[in-house]
Amino acid sequence: MAEEEYGSFVDLNQMGDLANSSGPTKVDCKDLKEFKQMARQGYWAKNHKLRAQVYQQLIKAIPCRTVTPDAEVYRDIMGNAGKKKPSSHIPLPDFVDGSPVPRYCLKAEAVASAHQIINCVAGQFPDISHCPSLPAVTSLLLHLSKDEAQCFEHISRILACNEPGKRLLDQTFLAYESSCMTFGDLANKYCAAAHKLIVATAQDVLEVYSDWQRWVLGDLPFSHVVRVLDVYLVEGYKVLYRVAIALLKFYRKNKVQGGQASQQQQDSDKVRADIQAFVKGIASTVTPDKLLEKAFSIRLFSRKEITLLQLTNEKSLQQKGITVKQKRRNVQLALNPDTFSSEIVSAKEMRDIWSWIPERFALCQPQLLFTTSNHGCSLNRFYSHCEGYEPTLLLIRTTDGDVCGAFLSTDWEERKRGGNKLSFFGTGECFVFRLKPEMERYEWVVIRHPELASSIKTQAQEDTASSEGQDAENNSLQQPEKPAGDLSPFLSARHFNLNSKNTSMFMAGNFDSIIIGGGEGNALYIDSELNHGRSGSYFRPFQCEDGNKRSPKLCPAGEVLLGLYTLLVSV
């Protein structure tokens, strides 16, 4: 492709150094793993002409539906209209949800071309109902297209991708909303300090996280987002999650260094605007290389884990009847301080706990199942009240005023599978926490140390992974067969080869005790009378957010007041 063929939409004066092509002039690589590294390291970052050739090759290789509109379709549709000067006054389709076309160093008339292309896409893809990232992707691809028709074809191939297990752009509100929930889950696990800052400052965390895609595709300056696009076209959707989490980490660092990490809660729109301003101005403090380095240093689980979590969140939304855009419910509606009452925690403390639980339960209402003050100190009565419910939230207050507890992913009825023998069950979504004297959460140790587990793979999967050149990260979890309606077995221990049984001792119970966490001591131990318990100073399955394997006692041994909540979907 000649340079003048693809530069017609670009304002070279705004491009800066990117306008001067330098470095390699061709890519000669057949190995996928090596190609990934070239994309991450910016092999073609300084040669816009080479980037255009690479993009054309990558997009042409996307597996698509049999009938996918191409450049000729665009020319036929536009006809004589294609010869007229396009207008940016043409409104964009409703499915972009108000997202504007970013300028990205384009000429003013090129923005009008993007409007025209997107409207043509809307006519050819009537099944798209929600795609707020489309304007940004269209604007970026115009840089590397010789005309509107070629850009239309590239967009069409991305939208028509039908490779199993691969997604490039969300095209429905259900997919988009579940991606926001999934981002919240990932931020909660892998960006705990920044997540804690958002929880402390924003009235509605989910509202803030609803912008996560726009941070990457819309707010990032061109010099940064084009590097992200380089990797995104090679590795797919998970790159967006990585970069967004890296941006959240840098945002938190910026607030702390500037002495602005206020714990005062404010309107969510102000927090959203603050993050947007930071991302738009990130070039002054973070280079594109530094951003990608941070993104790929985050030890996320596999693409399969992310896919499984996304599907689980989608199923949860479907069960709640949320499949089309509607007014987002504030998490505080599920925890209304006027109606919530507990002898153990305040409404604010319960809201803090809510920020830790998986996003698919964050809009559920808590229902009290059992409390020793109302139901007495009987373990059998405890079991009879909580069997048949999952997940549940266990809250404990000692006579010394310490408060701790556990989020438990699995029905207590599972304990019966071991007969009278004490046996552990549960999943890696379980965690323990304390609220007083200090607030701290202790997650499954494998989340912080993936090297403690390797995936269970069939020989066929291993052969497939080898033939596709996929790395270990993309194959660390086998998606389980799940019965219809089952939302729970995410991070189930049976899908990992664990080097120690201690790393999967989540919860257990029999006729004389309740145990949370096993190994060299218990995170929580409650006796059969439910009024005495203890907490060990070392419990293997759970680990403090700061990465310390040895965790302090959650609360001293002593008498306890126990309350158990289940999370019910409000219909």
Side-chain angles (χ1 to χ4, degrees):
M1 183 188 297
E3 187 170 352
E4 61 273 15
E5 287 184 319
Y6 74 85
S8 58
F9 298 104
V10 181
D11 184 346
L12 296 178
N13 293 326
Q14 295 185 40
M15 289 279 286
D17 292 339
L18 291 174
N20 303 315
S21 292
S22 60
T25 57
K26 66 177 182 177
V27 175
D28 188 14
C29 175
K30 302 295 183 184
D31 181 68
L32 178 60
K33 193 171 183 179
E34 183 182 350
F35 201 67
K36 285 181 180 179
Q37 288 303 313
M38 293 172 73
R40 292 184 186 186
Q41 294 168 7
Y43 184 82
W44 51 81
K46 293 183 179 181
N47 191 324
H48 221 43
K49 180 179 179 181
L50 180 59
R51 175 180 272 133
Q53 294 170 351
V54 170
Y55 278 27
Q56 192 167 350
Q57 177 185 339
L58 289 171
I59 295 173
K60 190 176 181 179
I62 295 175
C64 294
R65 306 170 194 166
T66 304
V67 180
T68 299
D70 58 12
E72 289 304 315
V73 169
Y74 183 85
R75 294 187 183 102
D76 289 343
I77 292 172
M78 299 310 296
N80 292 330
K83 299 176 182 178
K84 298 179 182 178
K85 188 176 181 180
S87 171
S88 57
H89 296 298
I90 302 172
L92 292 174
D94 290 341
F95 63 63
V96 304
D97 194 31
S99 297
V101 174
R103 187 71 178 267
Y104 287 148
C105 307
L106 293 176
K107 298 174 181 177
E109 56 267 29
V111 174
S113 293
H115 277 244
Q116 193 160 271
I117 292 167
I118 293 169
N119 277 284
C120 191
V121 165
Q124 293 299 300
F125 291 84
D127 51 335
I128 298 178
S129 58
H130 197 81
C131 192
S133 295
L134 186 59
V137 175
T138 303
S139 179
L140 288 167
L141 291 181
L142 263 178
H143 267 266
L144 305 154
S145 302
K146 63 182 181 181
D147 55 24
E148 291 179 8
Q150 188 180 62
C151 182
F152 169 82
E153 179 175 322
H154 288 169
I155 291 293
S156 296
R157 294 193 66 83
I158 288 173
L159 292 170
C161 173
N162 64 355
E163 182 178 340
K166 185 173 183 178
R167 61 189 296 162
L168 291 172
L169 284 178
D170 293 326
Q171 299 177 42
T172 66
F173 181 74
L174 180 63
Y176 177 80
E177 188 76 351
S178 65
S179 79
C180 296
M181 293 169 66
T182 299
F183 178 78
D185 285 322
L186 295 174
N188 191 0
K189 281 185 170 66
Y190 305 112
C191 194
H195 178 69
K196 188 181 295 185
L197 175 65
I198 301 300
V199 170
T201 55
Q203 291 179 350
D204 188 347
V205 178
L206 292 178
E207 193 70 33
V208 174
Y209 288 160
S210 69
D211 290 338
W212 79 273
Q213 286 191 30
R214 197 167 298 184
W215 300 342
V216 183
L217 297 172
D219 294 338
L220 270 179
F222 176 74
S223 57
H224 289 61
V225 72
V226 75
R227 288 290 306 280
V228 174
L229 193 66
D230 290 346
V231 189
Y232 162 77
L233 288 177
V234 177
E235 300 190 41
Y237 195 90
K238 69 170 184 174
V239 170
L240 302 182
Y241 282 125
R242 284 190 172 277
V243 173
I245 288 177
L247 289 171
L248 200 58
K249 284 177 174 283
F250 280 122
Y251 170 74
R252 185 253 176 188
K253 182 179 179 181
N254 177 264
K255 300 297 283 186
V256 171
Q257 289 179 342
Q260 302 172 355
S262 170
Q263 297 299 304
Q264 185 176 358
Q265 202 166 84
Q266 53 187 307
D267 185 78
S268 299
D269 286 340
K270 291 183 179 178
V271 179
R272 294 170 68 187
D274 193 40
I275 296 176
Q276 182 183 51
F278 167 76
V279 174
K280 286 187 172 182
I282 197 172
S284 63
T285 55
V286 180
T287 65
D289 283 325
K290 192 174 180 181
L291 176 62
L292 290 179
E293 181 182 351
K294 173 69 77 175
F296 288 101
S297 68
I298 299 167
R299 303 186 69 181
L300 291 179
F301 277 162
S302 69
R303 177 187 299 156
K304 290 184 179 179
E305 183 214 2
I306 294 174
T307 300
L308 176 56
L309 183 53
Q310 181 103 10
L311 292 173
T312 304
N313 284 331
E314 280 190 14
K315 184 173 289 187
S316 174
L317 288 168
Q318 287 173 323
Q319 290 183 354
K320 295 174 188 174
I322 302 174
T323 57
V324 295
K325 188 176 182 184
Q326 51 194 267
K327 184 174 174 59
R328 183 185 297 275
R329 286 186 54 199
N330 191 306
V331 67
Q332 291 177 322
L333 294 179
L335 291 170
N336 190 329
D338 296 330
T339 58
F340 176 77
S341 176
S342 170
E343 298 175 74
I344 302 176
V345 297
S346 66
K348 181 185 181 304
E349 288 170 331
M350 194 66 158
R351 184 179 182 273
D352 290 334
I353 297 170
W354 236 241
S355 72
W356 290 332
I357 67 175
E359 289 286 352
R360 64 186 183 278
F361 302 121
L363 294 180
C364 298
Q365 295 185 10
Q367 178 187 9
L368 182 64
L369 295 178
F370 177 91
T371 177
T372 51
S373 61
N374 293 338
H375 302 99
C377 298
S378 165
L379 184 56
N380 285 334
R381 198 171 296 136
F382 170 86
Y383 288 139
S384 68
H385 278 267
C386 66
E387 286 176 2
Y389 294 95
E390 69 176 38
T392 51
L393 192 66
L394 181 68
L395 298 174
I396 298 169
R397 189 184 72 202
T398 72
T399 52
D400 291 333
D402 296 312
V403 176
C404 60
F407 174 79
L408 305 169
S409 63
T410 307
D411 189 342
W412 277 102
E413 195 165 14
E414 285 288 309
R415 76 188 191 285
K416 295 178 179 178
R417 293 193 177 189
N420 292 326
K421 181 182 177 183
L422 186 71
S423 59
F424 282 86
F425 55 97
T427 76
E429 284 192 313
C430 293
F431 61 85
V432 293
F433 58 87
R434 65 179 179 189
L435 297 179
K436 296 177 181 177
E438 300 108 18
M439 184 182 294
E440 192 61 80
R441 174 178 55 161
Y442 302 83
E443 298 180 285
W444 188 25
V445 67
V446 174
I447 290 175
R448 301 290 168 187
H449 294 272
E451 69 274 8
L452 294 175
S454 57
S455 66
I456 299 173
K457 298 192 289 288
T458 64
Q459 186 61 47
Q461 285 176 307
E462 290 176 350
D463 291 342
T464 301
S466 175
S467 65
E468 294 180 357
Q470 295 176 329
D471 54 32
E473 181 196 32
N474 292 338
N475 294 279
S476 61
L477 183 69
Q478 178 184 355
Q479 186 168 332
E481 293 291 330
K482 296 201 301 178
D486 186 4
L487 295 176
S488 178
F490 182 62
L491 296 186
S492 179
R494 70 178 181 272
H495 302 297
F496 296 87
N497 288 319
L498 301 172
N499 58 15
S500 168
K501 289 186 178 180
N502 290 350
T503 56
S504 61
M505 292 182 173
F506 301 115
M507 51 192 289
N510 59 12
F511 61 91
D512 66 356
S513 64
I514 295 170
I515 293 174
I516 312 297
E520 302 173 39
N522 305 124
L524 293 170
Y525 174 93
I526 309 294
D527 69 8
S528 60
E529 295 181 352
L530 300 185
N531 61 4
H532 286 83
R534 64 176 180 268
S535 174
S537 60
Y538 183 79
F539 35 93
R540 183 58 187 272
F542 304 111
Q543 180 179 320
C544 182
E545 287 181 351
D546 63 10
N548 294 324
K549 291 185 179 180
R550 183 169 296 276
S551 305
K553 292 184 180 181
L554 293 174
C555 59
E559 295 183 353
V560 299
L561 173 64
L562 185 147
L564 187 78
Y565 289 80
T566 188
L567 312 181
L568 292 184
V569 176
S570 176
V571 180

